[in-house]
Amino acid sequence: MNELIFFFNNVVVSGLVLGSIYALGAIGVTLVFGILRFAHFAHGDMMTMGGFVAFLLASLFAAWGLTLPVPLGFAVLPLTFVITAALALGIDKGFYAPLRARGAKPVTLLIASIGVTLIIQGMIRLFFGTGTYNFFEGAPKELYRIEVPLEEATRTINFSQPQVLLLLVTVVTVVALHLFLTRARLGKAMRAMADNADLAQVSGINTALVVRVTWIIAGGLAALAGTMLALDVTLKPDLAFNILLPIFAAAIVGGLGQAYGAIAGGFLIGFAETAAIFNWSILLRPFRDALPEFIEIPNNLALVPTEYKLTVAFIILVITLLARPTGIFKGAST
Amino acid sequence: MNRRTLIFFGALLAYYAIAGVFFGAAYISLLSVQALAFALIALGLNIQWGFGGLFNFGIMGSLMVGGFAATTISFPVNPEFWASDGPALLGQVAIAAAIGAVLVIAAGQAHRIGITGRWKTTLQVIAWFAAYVIYRSRIDPAVAYIEATDAGWIGGLGLHPILGWIFGGVLAAGVAYIIGKVSLGLRTDYLAIATIGISEIIRALIKNMDWLTRGTLTVSPLDWPVPRPQDLQAMGLAIADSFVVGRVAFFGVLLVVLALVLYLVQRAYGGPWGRMMRAIRDNHIAAAAMGKDVKSRQLEIFIFGSVLMGIGGAALVTLNQIFDPGSYQPINHTFLIWVMLIVGGAGNNWGAVFGALFIYLTWMLSDAAAQFLFNGLSDWMVTMGWPGIPDVQSRSSQMRVLILGVVITLALRYTPRGLIPETYQARD
């Protein structure tokens, strides 16, 4: 039983956490791709930027002596959402809009997003240095232990407080996004433009407004993902750059341009990564006595050594691209 | 070469000369050699993106492969490893890998015995998994053994560094072939992500395979194709002079390589091959209709570009005399090259070389400039009675990332085709 709980903590809980982060990031990537037709490489750094905005706000409130039952980093999320969305709009206006106005090809915008990546990275490193920051300076993260009502279970199912909040944020975001895309006029306009931009424009949809809303959602979600990731681990300048690849893999596996696909892809990759580095021999240990003598369970049955975790996302990506190039849900093709 | 090109290169020479006056001969000679290596790498990217329109975000991977090749070829032989059981264990690994390969290939031919469709796919998945298990069952103990013995790693081969550069090119070509087979034919965005992913995997492999590359423990000192500064000092040269003399000699070797490559690439660009590549880049559907085999031509050009990157990466490692897989970053080794090419002018070989030389010096000098600026600002703040900037040194060294971002943004906005843009010419 303890082995099962260990499995649950290491694969299911970690997979949920990782998957939520990937899903939140991938939704932004996929929306920007659906509307503007380019792979937005600066998305990871937008997440980092959001994390630092939250950190600044939290430190500010902490300096005023504000204490809340939830971590300050979580409490400032709405404000972080707004500020980062505004920054994303500014980035679009300053960097991408002029290129679009010139009629630049999507690949030029992709290169421009590298420029944005470098600028955001440079700014963060200039102001915050290269060190790591912790939202929980001095105060340890709260840990929720759930007792399993079984006799032979001595271990508990563990969630840290940020992880619970992250799952909460993800559920709320996904539901809100679903309602927005299916009920709101603007959301429907977004889907129409993702399907066929020219047709959408001809039928009277305000495409400039749709573009702005896209950046607001993408920037805001990036801020949520970045902040929650920083709460779960620590905040550092290359926080999100390292998970950019799994996020893109999630977006592609789900089908670029498909918001629901991005969510599915995010969780798929999250679970695949945690399952691949999990040591499966632990699950076999209870059967050790039942097995005949000559079968010996190796100490380590992890599919992939931990340091190659990144390859998992990539291998899933390659298999998807080879077997079903448009992703699980049919993605946009240009 | 037209007048615009000449003017830009003249200005570049003046830029290097002025920098040399400020920073001294030893430093500027080091920067010049490194810049030449980057020019080679930028030419490689120019072939891929400028000629072929292939979006390669995995330059770092090619550079690391080249650096690994240079290390393995030119580092002295490790006798402790060859005296141990290591070679025998690695032989077993090779046999296991061969068995795995046979399994996978056999599964791929399953349709010959009537297994098709879903069943064949299942069989292939099982074959891949079995091959992986067989390989892991041999490689894990071998790695554990080699890393536990005194040898630590397999060591080098003790051959001439130039051979290492050539091997770097060959190895990079092999890797590029695999990458190309998997990801060419994908749309641009997918290709970008696929290549960035593969380069990250290469980094993870080289960083963690301590038995093969010594990983983050780093390997040094490596041999040069010309006498190294420490060799010159042993011959009785003054320390300051030995650095300049050694680097100038290295510069000469690299200049010969670059001139040869530039000549060949320029000829190829002006010839039928270059015209065909431009046709494929600009309209691959029309090119395919004209009977060009688009996919294999793109694979060809991807490999050619990667060869230059491998050689450049090998030369950089040889020059630095140390192979440190931990020092490779996408910003320094992928995006920097992209900025060089975009600023210099994609599609123009002279533009690529100019961009590499210009951006590299700017990138290196912006460090010093930012240091100067920040120190000045901090001191001024202190004299005004405010607290100075904390950790001035480490902060100002991050300035160059910001500058790089600003430079590429400005270039895209105001000279989208680069400073020395591509010119269509019927003949060279």
Side-chain angles (χ1 to χ4, degrees):
Chain A
M1 200 58 217
N2 280 335
E3 285 80 8
L4 259 183
I5 295 173
F6 186 77
F7 168 78
F8 189 85
N9 278 335
N10 273 283
V11 175
V12 180
V13 174
S14 306
L16 271 178
V17 169
L18 212 54
S20 305
I21 299 281
Y22 291 166
L24 285 179
I27 292 171
V29 166
T30 218
L31 284 182
V32 170
F33 187 88
I35 303 295
L36 298 167
R37 304 273 150 190
F38 79 100
H40 186 227
F41 262 87
H43 204 80
D45 291 280
M46 271 194 179
M47 288 170 66
T48 321
M49 187 170 77
F52 274 98
V53 168
F55 183 76
L56 271 187
L57 290 172
S59 325
L60 201 66
F61 285 125
W64 284 345
L66 196 67
T67 43
L68 293 172
V70 289
L72 275 177
F74 178 74
V76 297
L77 265 191
L79 207 53
T80 311
F81 187 100
V82 172
I83 292 177
T84 315
L87 285 173
L89 275 179
I91 287 172
D92 180 53
K93 203 150 190 70
F95 294 95
Y96 303 133
L99 294 177
R100 277 204 305 277
R102 199 178 69 205
K105 279 186 278 183
V107 68
T108 312
L109 286 167
L110 205 167
I111 300 173
S113 77
I114 295 299
V116 173
T117 301
L118 296 175
I119 289 178
I120 298 178
Q121 280 270 325
M123 290 289 231
I124 290 174
R125 290 175 182 205
L126 203 57
F127 287 111
F128 295 95
T130 47
T132 54
Y133 293 84
N134 195 341
F135 274 95
F136 300 90
E137 212 62 76
K141 291 174 202 174
E142 231 174 285
L143 206 62
Y144 300 125
R145 293 174 196 281
I146 304 167
E147 299 275 348
V148 181
L150 280 171
E151 278 206 10
E152 61 269 42
T154 48
R155 281 171 179 271
T156 50
I157 295 174
N158 298 334
F159 279 96
S160 75
Q161 193 187 21
Q163 289 173 342
V164 176
L165 294 175
L166 166 66
L167 295 181
L168 200 74
V169 166
T170 310
V171 170
V172 169
T173 309
V174 168
V175 171
L177 189 76
H178 171 72
L179 291 179
F180 175 73
L181 286 178
T182 50
R183 303 288 161 82
R185 205 178 164 72
L186 248 173
K188 287 183 196 167
M190 257 175 91
R191 276 162 60 208
M193 194 170 158
D195 259 1
N196 189 334
D198 291 333
L199 198 60
Q201 193 160 21
V202 173
S203 53
I205 288 172
N206 184 349
T207 49
L209 181 67
V210 171
V211 168
R212 280 205 293 278
V213 171
T214 307
W215 281 111
I216 289 173
I217 295 177
L221 291 191
L224 296 187
T227 310
M228 294 321 289
L229 181 62
L231 281 171
D232 188 31
V233 287
T234 50
L235 188 59
K236 49 183 196 248
D238 56 356
L239 173 80
F241 192 75
N242 294 332
I243 62 163
L244 188 65
L245 189 71
I247 285 179
F248 267 100
I252 291 177
V253 167
L256 270 179
Q258 298 288 329
Y260 303 119
I263 298 164
F267 281 104
L268 176 75
I269 296 212
F271 280 118
E273 280 191 355
T274 49
I277 58 170
F278 182 71
N279 183 2
W280 291 94
S281 75
I282 288 172
L283 278 189
L284 295 177
R285 261 175 219 163
F287 309 106
R288 195 164 26 193
D289 302 332
L291 286 175
E293 284 284 313
F294 58 91
I295 300 179
E296 201 181 323
I297 301 171
N299 277 326
N300 193 348
L301 273 182
L303 219 51
V304 178
T306 319
E307 58 264 33
Y308 299 128
K309 193 169 135 191
L310 192 75
T311 53
V312 178
F314 186 74
I315 288 168
I316 295 176
L317 174 67
V318 167
I319 293 173
T320 312
L321 287 180
L322 290 178
R324 214 182 144 88
T326 46
I328 304 172
F329 297 71
K330 200 177 163 304
S333 57
T334 37
Chain B
M1 253 191 156
N2 54 18
R3 234 178 84 210
R4 188 185 169 93
T5 315
L6 282 175
I7 290 171
F8 270 115
F9 270 91
L12 190 69
L13 206 62
Y15 186 31
Y16 269 78
I18 293 168
V21 170
F22 272 100
F23 293 96
Y27 189 52
I28 200 71
S29 59
L30 176 67
L31 290 189
S32 313
V33 188
Q34 287 171 338
L36 273 194
F38 273 100
L40 211 55
I41 298 161
L43 266 180
L45 182 63
N46 188 34
I47 293 180
Q48 292 178 341
W49 169 242
F51 294 8
L54 298 175
F55 210 93
N56 183 2
F57 257 179
I59 303 168
M60 184 181 73
S62 304
L63 298 191
M64 289 192 84
V65 166
F68 159 69
T71 313
T72 307
I73 294 287
S74 70
F75 199 74
V77 177
N78 185 356
E80 283 175 357
F81 164 74
W82 294 102
S84 70
D85 290 342
L89 285 172
L90 284 184
Q92 289 181 13
V93 172
I95 295 169
I99 294 172
V102 167
L103 277 180
V104 168
I105 293 169
Q109 301 294 326
H111 56 268
R112 288 171 189 249
I113 54 168
I115 302 173
T116 50
R118 200 163 286 251
W119 289 107
K120 188 185 165 191
T121 314
T122 317
L123 195 66
Q124 275 181 310
V125 171
I126 294 171
W128 273 102
F129 188 74
Y132 180 69
V133 169
I134 293 172
Y135 173 73
R136 277 289 296 278
S137 72
R138 290 290 115 202
I139 187 83
D140 285 353
V143 167
Y145 174 79
I146 294 173
E147 285 174 6
T149 55
D150 287 339
W153 69 305
I154 63 169
L157 295 174
L159 299 172
H160 196 271
I162 296 284
L163 274 178
W165 298 5
I166 295 169
F167 185 54
V170 173
L171 211 56
V175 172
Y177 178 79
I178 298 169
I179 298 177
K181 270 286 176 196
V182 174
S183 49
L184 286 180
L186 296 174
R187 297 201 346 250
T188 312
D189 314 84
Y190 289 1
L191 185 61
I193 292 153
T195 46
I196 210 172
I198 291 172
S199 85
E200 287 295 329
I201 288 175
I202 293 174
R203 177 161 72 152
L205 284 173
I206 292 185
K207 223 168 152 177
N208 291 308
M209 283 159 80
D210 282 6
W211 62 277
L212 184 63
T213 64
R214 211 142 174 73
T216 42
L217 295 171
T218 71
V219 180
S220 67
L222 299 175
D223 205 7
W224 276 14
V226 292
R228 293 176 292 184
Q230 57 260 47
D231 304 333
L232 290 169
Q233 283 162 30
M235 281 191 267
L237 220 63
I239 291 177
D241 291 340
S242 71
F243 280 106
V244 178
V245 171
R247 284 164 184 170
V248 167
F250 201 111
F251 184 86
V253 173
L254 215 47
L255 195 62
V256 171
V257 175
L258 182 67
L260 187 70
V261 167
L262 195 56
Y263 173 74
L264 291 176
V265 171
Q266 192 73 1
R267 291 275 300 187
Y269 181 75
W273 186 81
R275 285 199 294 278
M276 175 189 64
M277 286 305 174
R278 290 201 296 279
I280 290 176
R281 176 194 66 189
D282 291 338
N283 191 338
H284 65 92
I285 298 169
M290 298 301 288
K292 304 300 176 200
D293 185 354
V294 172
K295 228 177 163 176
S296 62
R297 290 302 178 177
Q298 285 187 331
L299 185 62
E300 181 180 300
I301 209 161
F302 194 74
I303 291 175
F304 279 164
S306 294
V307 168
L308 292 187
M309 291 172 186
I311 296 174
L316 271 180
V317 168
T318 304
L319 172 69
N320 295 338
Q321 294 195 23
I322 181 167
F323 181 53
D324 177 13
S327 70
Y328 285 80
Q329 295 290 336
I331 288 181
N332 303 7
H333 294 95
T334 297
F335 299 151
L336 179 66
I337 322 264
W338 269 96
V339 177
M340 288 170 175
L341 186 65
I342 298 296
V343 170
N348 188 324
N349 294 319
W350 293 106
V353 172
F354 171 81
L357 300 181
F358 172 67
I359 292 295
Y360 190 71
L361 187 61
T362 310
W363 160 258
M364 293 306 283
L365 290 193
S366 57
D367 228 8
Q371 206 91 264
F372 178 74
L373 204 75
F374 271 57
N375 278 329
L377 191 67
S378 184
D379 291 347
W380 178 77
M381 280 165 75
V382 171
T383 54
M384 291 296 286
W386 299 328
I389 304 171
D391 345 304
V392 176
Q393 302 297 327
S394 74
R395 265 161 213 264
S396 55
S397 67
Q398 302 302 331
M399 186 74 175
R400 56 187 189 178
V401 179
L402 183 65
I403 290 177
L404 202 64
V406 172
V407 165
I408 191 170
T409 306
L410 291 178
L412 282 178
R413 190 81 163 268
Y414 298 107
T415 60
R417 297 182 59 220
L419 289 174
I420 307 180
E422 182 181 15
T423 45
Y424 285 95
Q425 280 173 325
R427 55 180 65 223
D428 199 0

